[in-house]
Amino acid sequence: MTSFSKKDQQGFFIIAGVVAVLLVIFAFSYKLSNKPKLDDRSCPATIARSTAIVIDRSDDTPSQTLEEIVSRTKQFVTERAEQGELVSLFEISGASRTNLKPVFSVCVPQRDGNDIYENRRKIQRQFAEQFTKPLDAALTGKSAKSDSSPISEAVTDLSASRYLAAPANRLIVFSDMLQNSDNASLYRCTSAKTAIEEFRAHRAGAIERPTFRNTAVELNMIPREGLGHDVVKCRDRFWAWFFGDNEGAEASLMTKMLPGGARVQ
């Protein structure tokens, strides 16, 4: 029988300790690598429904309006968002013209379970960690006031993206819908026809008007006082044209008003 010296035994203990530490590190790394991602990479291979939520932060917005925006977004998630649905949140500011990226984009995970054959509390906890808390953090973003409001450009880019490419889609917009960019401005608009022609001329060579498929469009209007009847009429007609190419059984356009009444700057 081979006998080991005291020094050899100490060496074996050190090696065993190192191996144990490496195993713990490997197990932890494996757990992290298999943890559901907090973005749209965790979505199923086939996404049946997508929702893009757009919040216009280019102008000052009253606090009661902001609170209602958060409330309506959470109500949508609670009452209408389905498991596996891709929900993405975008913010519009001057920077979004060339750098439109979601501040939140996650497929809705399982939100509840059955106590008989599932760990219900674990499922609810994971839903909060993977979905509710990141969404709440994205909704509390501060206003990024800018001189331009490239609403149409942002929505046009979304219409051609994977964020509205599912068989059924929703587009929920929170904005005063006062388009203001070098392509077109509705601030002093008196003729929708002129505004549309101007917009199309500036967009020549790009997408002049977005095309939607099976998309339910919901415009939540941030109220602005002092616009004047001509500007309001021009604004409404411009957006009716803009969203006019939408086909499919779920295609629709609905407008809701938000509370508040800040004067237009």
Side-chain angles (χ1 to χ4, degrees), residues 57-60 92-94 142-148 265:
R57 298 191 185 276
S58 58
D59 288 307
D60 289 331
I92 294 178
S93 66
K142 295 182 179 180
S143 175
K145 187 176 180 181
S146 61
D147 294 331
S148 62
Q265 301 295 317

Side-chain angles (χ1 to χ4, degrees), residues 14-24:
I14 292 173
I15 293 172
V18 171
V19 171
V21 171
L22 290 175
L23 288 173
V24 170

Side-chain angles (χ1 to χ4, degrees), residues 51-73:
T51 293
I53 302 171
V54 179
I55 300 178
D56 186 358
R57 298 191 185 276
S58 58
D59 288 307
D60 289 331
T61 304
S63 59
Q64 66 266 38
T65 308
L66 291 173
E67 289 175 3
E68 183 63 18
I69 289 173
V70 172
S71 176
R72 291 188 187 184
T73 301

Side-chain angles (χ1 to χ4, degrees), residues 4-245:
F4 296 100
S5 66
K6 187 175 182 180
K7 189 175 181 180
D8 289 336
Q9 292 175 359
Q10 289 175 341
F12 292 149
F13 281 123
I14 292 173
I15 293 172
V18 171
V19 171
V21 171
L22 290 175
L23 288 173
V24 170
I25 294 174
F26 175 79
F28 184 71
S29 300
Y30 179 81
K31 183 178 180 180
L32 286 180
S33 65
N34 286 275
K35 184 177 181 180
K37 303 290 192 305
L38 300 184
D39 56 31
D40 54 20
R41 286 175 293 177
S42 62
C43 292
T46 301
I47 299 175
R49 182 179 291 277
S50 292
T51 293
I53 302 171
V54 179
I55 300 178
D56 186 358
R57 298 191 185 276
S58 58
D59 288 307
D60 289 331
T61 304
S63 59
Q64 66 266 38
T65 308
L66 291 173
E67 289 175 3
E68 183 63 18
I69 289 173
V70 172
S71 176
R72 291 188 187 184
T73 301
K74 290 184 176 181
Q75 182 182 23
F76 156 74
V77 169
T78 301
E79 298 180 359
R80 292 191 284 168
E82 303 172 1
Q83 183 173 331
E85 179 174 344
L86 174 60
V87 177
S88 305
L89 178 65
F90 297 84
E91 296 179 348
I92 294 178
S93 66
S96 63
R97 175 73 183 275
T98 56
N99 189 30
L100 183 66
K101 296 179 180 180
V103 295
F104 171 89
S105 187
V106 180
C107 275
V108 181
Q110 183 179 354
R111 70 181 74 203
D112 206 347
N114 191 310
D115 287 325
I116 298 177
Y117 55 86
E118 293 176 302
N119 189 331
R120 188 178 185 186
R121 289 186 178 181
K122 182 180 179 181
I123 291 172
Q124 293 173 340
R125 184 171 62 252
Q126 288 179 338
F127 180 80
E129 293 293 333
Q130 297 171 14
F131 194 83
T132 307
K133 290 182 179 179
L135 177 60
D136 288 347
L139 286 171
T140 57
K142 295 182 179 180
S143 175
K145 187 176 180 181
S146 61
D147 294 331
S148 62
S149 299
I151 305 165
S152 60
E153 292 86 351
V155 172
T156 299
D157 286 346
L158 283 177
S159 72
S161 75
R162 60 193 176 94
Y163 298 104
L164 289 176
N169 305 281
R170 296 188 187 96
L171 173 62
I172 303 174
V173 182
F174 296 94
S175 173
D176 58 14
M177 304 308 292
L178 289 173
Q179 164 74 21
N180 183 33
S181 71
D182 52 5
N183 285 327
S185 177
L186 301 180
Y187 274 94
R188 289 169 293 279
C189 175
T190 57
S191 169
K193 181 180 179 181
T194 301
I196 292 168
E197 290 175 350
E198 178 185 354
F199 181 79
R200 296 188 67 182
H202 281 88
R203 293 283 297 181
I207 301 175
E208 295 181 17
R209 182 173 75 160
T211 299
F212 300 96
R213 293 291 180 269
N214 271 327
T215 302
V217 180
E218 180 182 304
L219 305 181
N220 294 266
M221 301 286 285
I222 298 174
R224 300 292 183 194
E225 296 176 352
L227 289 179
H229 293 294
D230 290 340
V231 173
V232 172
K233 185 183 295 184
C234 177
R235 178 196 64 186
D236 294 347
R237 289 180 177 176
F238 176 87
W239 291 111
W241 165 80
F242 182 84
F243 289 109
D245 191 356

